[in-house]
């Protein structure tokens, strides 16, 4: 068995916030974290006993200061990073309340395809491809970093 397959994945809830006009929210990873400055969909690790939606609700409130409406489970992707193996549970979110506050001093950007922010975290790339497929987009989904 390879070393990667022996590592137990960490479950992560990821929010794909979609505005009424179809734009989606990306946030930058804060300084001091692995991949600082890379753009991603916001979210975080599940705590013991939490469901994906509970974790997403908690994380988006902690990081962005918003309260989300229903989280619609979308897709699950397994990513092997040098520092961790993560199972990303992507959920679409169409409704939220509150003003966005970047509580970890991260940046936020509403994006369309192709995304204009770089560099993009590797775990974000599949989501951009899924959006392109859903929306019939034929161009590049992101700019090369």
């Amino acid at each position: 068995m390879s070393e990667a397959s022996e590592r137990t994945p960490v479950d992560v809830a990821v929010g794909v916030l979609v505005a009424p006009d179809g734009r989606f929210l990306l946030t930058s990873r804060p300084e001091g974290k692995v991949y600082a400055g890379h753009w991603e969909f916001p979210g975080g690790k599940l705590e013991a006993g939490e469901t994906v939606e509970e974790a997403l609700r908690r994380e988006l409130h902690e990081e962005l200061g918003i309260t989300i409406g229903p989280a619609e489970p979308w897709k699950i992707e397994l990513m092997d990073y040098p520092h961790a193996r993560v199972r990303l549970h992507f959920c679409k979110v169409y409704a939220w309340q509150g003003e966005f506050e970047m509580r970890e001093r991260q940046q936020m950007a509403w994006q369309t395809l192709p995304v204009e922010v770089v560099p993009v975290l590797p775990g974000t790339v599949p989501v951009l491809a899924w959006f392109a497929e859903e929306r019939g987009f034929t161009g590049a989904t992101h700019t090369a970093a």
Side-chain angles (χ1 to χ4, degrees):
M1 256 189 178
S2 71
E3 180 183 323
S5 63
E6 291 174 1
R7 293 193 298 168
T8 302
V10 174
D11 286 295
V12 175
V14 184
V16 180
L17 276 66
V18 182
D21 64 4
R23 293 179 307 152
F24 48 87
L25 182 73
L26 291 176
T27 57
S28 63
R29 292 192 51 83
E31 290 302 317
K33 287 196 174 181
V34 178
Y35 288 99
H38 283 67
W39 291 85
E40 65 179 351
F41 291 93
K45 296 176 192 169
L46 274 67
E47 292 182 353
E50 272 186 324
T51 66
V52 170
E53 185 167 348
E54 288 167 344
L56 189 59
R57 191 168 301 285
R58 176 184 51 76
E59 286 284 346
L60 294 186
H61 188 263
E62 288 175 2
E63 292 178 14
L64 306 178
I66 61 170
T67 301
I68 63 169
E72 299 177 12
W74 187 24
K75 296 185 183 269
I76 297 173
E77 185 79 7
L78 193 62
M79 293 294 298
D80 274 313
Y81 289 106
H83 70 285
R85 188 169 200 224
V86 293
R87 184 180 300 115
L88 302 168
H89 298 263
F90 293 99
C91 298
K92 286 186 178 178
V93 178
Y94 295 97
W96 53 88
Q97 293 179 321
E99 294 295 320
F100 285 92
E101 301 171 28
M102 298 296 103
R103 293 180 170 177
E104 295 184 338
R105 295 186 299 281
Q106 73 275 43
Q107 293 179 288
M108 65 177 273
W110 289 100
Q111 296 288 294
T112 58
L113 295 175
V115 298
E116 297 176 353
V117 293
V118 290
V120 174
L121 192 68
T124 298
V125 174
V127 184
L128 301 178
W130 301 332
F131 267 136
E133 187 178 310
E134 278 186 0
R135 298 174 180 195
F137 185 83
T138 56
T141 55
H142 65 290
T143 307

